[in-house]
Amino acid sequence: MVKKKRLRLIAEMARKIRAYRELKSRPRDSQKYAVDYETMKRPLTGKMLPVMAWQDVRRESRLFSLLAGMRTFGVGRLFTRKSWLEDHTEPSYWQITKVKVDYTAENMDHGKAWGILTYKGKQETDVKEVDKVMYHDWRLVPKHLEQQMKDFTPLPEPPLRYVPYPPLLRAMMLAQHSKVAGSVLPEEPALPLKRDVLLNKDYFRQQEQEKPGKEGTAV
C-alpha cells in the first residue's frame, strides 16, 4: 500500500513568508541604478561609474528620463541610442508600445518598457522588453525624421560563403560517410561562414528556462 503523502502546511506557509520577505527587501530599480552626479557613485553599492562613461552620464539621458516628460509616456514614439548612431549608418530604434512606470521612484523616471526593435534597418515582428533602459545614451527621434527612418530599405544580405574543412576533419568526415553509407560523398564538404544561432539575451534566457527545475530543501 502506497503511503499517503503528508501535507506540511506550516512548512509551506514558512516558505511563502520567506519568499515574500525576500521580495520586499529586494531594492527597486530606482534604488539600484540611482547615481550621485557629483561623485559619480551609486549610493546603494558605493561603486564608482567607469571614467569613460562620465561624459555621457552628464550629457545624455536614460530612457525613462525622456518618457516621464512625455504625454502617454511616449507610447508610439521612436527612441534610438547614441551608440547606435555612432556605430551604424542604418537606422536602429525602438518603437514603444507599452510602459510600466515605477510610481514610487522620484520623478517617475524608472520602470519597464516594451516595444518593437528595428536594428540596422531590419524590423523584428515580436514585441519585446526594452533592455538597457538605465544607460545614459537614449535619444528621442524627432517627429519629422520618424517616417524617414521607417521608410529605410535595408540592403540585401550578401550570398552565403563557404570554406573547405581542415584536411584532418575532412578526412574523418569522408571516412565516416564511407563507413555508414558505403559510398563516396557526391559533393565536397564545405563549412558555411554563418552562425545559425544568434547568441543574444533571448537565446540564453530560453536556455535557462529549458533547464530542469531544482526542488528546494524541505523545511
Side-chain angles (χ1 to χ4, degrees):
M1 183 177 178
V2 180
K3 186 177 180 181
K4 187 176 180 180
K5 187 175 181 180
R6 180 184 174 187
L7 294 176
R8 305 182 64 187
L9 300 179
I10 298 179
E12 181 66 18
M13 184 182 299
R15 185 189 65 80
K16 291 182 179 180
I17 292 175
R18 286 199 305 271
Y20 176 75
R21 288 178 176 174
E22 182 180 354
L23 181 64
K24 294 293 288 184
S25 61
R26 187 173 56 186
R28 294 179 174 271
D29 289 347
S30 57
Q31 299 171 329
K32 189 187 303 183
Y33 299 115
V35 178
D36 184 350
Y37 292 97
E38 294 183 0
T39 61
M40 284 297 165
K41 292 183 178 180
R42 298 199 182 275
L44 182 65
T45 60
K47 293 183 178 180
M48 182 175 292
L49 299 180
V51 178
M52 296 292 292
W54 286 10
Q55 184 175 355
D56 285 343
V57 170
R58 290 193 173 101
R59 294 184 179 181
E60 304 295 332
S61 302
R62 291 180 285 108
L63 177 61
F64 270 85
S65 298
L66 301 174
L67 295 177
M70 302 181 64
R71 183 179 299 176
T72 67
F73 290 101
V75 173
R77 296 297 302 272
L78 306 185
F79 293 86
T80 185
R81 297 177 57 188
K82 176 188 173 184
S83 55
W84 289 346
L85 296 174
E86 294 176 348
D87 297 342
H88 312 302
T89 57
E90 304 90 345
S92 300
Y93 57 87
W94 281 94
Q95 183 173 10
I96 303 299
T97 59
K98 178 185 175 183
V99 175
K100 184 178 180 181
V101 183
D102 183 5
Y103 290 99
T104 63
E106 186 178 1
N107 301 323
M108 296 186 297
D109 56 352
H110 287 275
K112 295 183 178 181
W114 290 262
I116 300 176
L117 174 63
T118 299
Y119 186 68
K120 298 176 70 173
K122 299 177 182 178
Q123 182 177 350
E124 299 184 1
T125 57
D126 299 333
V127 176
K128 301 191 303 182
E129 182 179 351
V130 182
D131 57 348
K132 299 180 175 63
V133 296
M134 76 292 297
Y135 281 29
H136 288 76
D137 69 340
W138 288 92
R139 294 182 180 181
L140 172 65
V141 178
K143 273 281 189 179
H144 65 279
L145 294 179
E146 288 186 354
Q147 195 60 41
Q148 178 181 347
M149 298 183 73
K150 291 180 180 179
D151 293 341
F152 177 82
T153 303
L155 296 176
E157 293 187 2
L160 186 61
R161 295 173 53 196
Y162 293 86
V163 295
Y165 279 93
L168 181 59
L169 183 57
R170 173 183 175 276
M172 293 173 61
M173 293 177 62
L174 294 176
Q176 180 68 18
H177 184 272
S178 177
K179 180 180 179 181
V180 175
S183 60
V184 182
L185 277 173
E187 297 181 358
E188 183 70 18
L191 181 66
L193 296 178
K194 183 179 180 181
R195 181 185 294 158
D196 295 331
V197 178
L198 183 62
L199 301 179
N200 55 10
K201 184 175 69 174
D202 295 334
Y203 170 78
F204 292 106
R205 184 181 298 170
Q206 182 180 0
Q207 293 294 110
E208 289 293 332
Q209 293 176 354
E210 292 177 356
K211 290 182 179 181
K214 299 181 180 180
E215 296 184 359
T217 305
V219 178

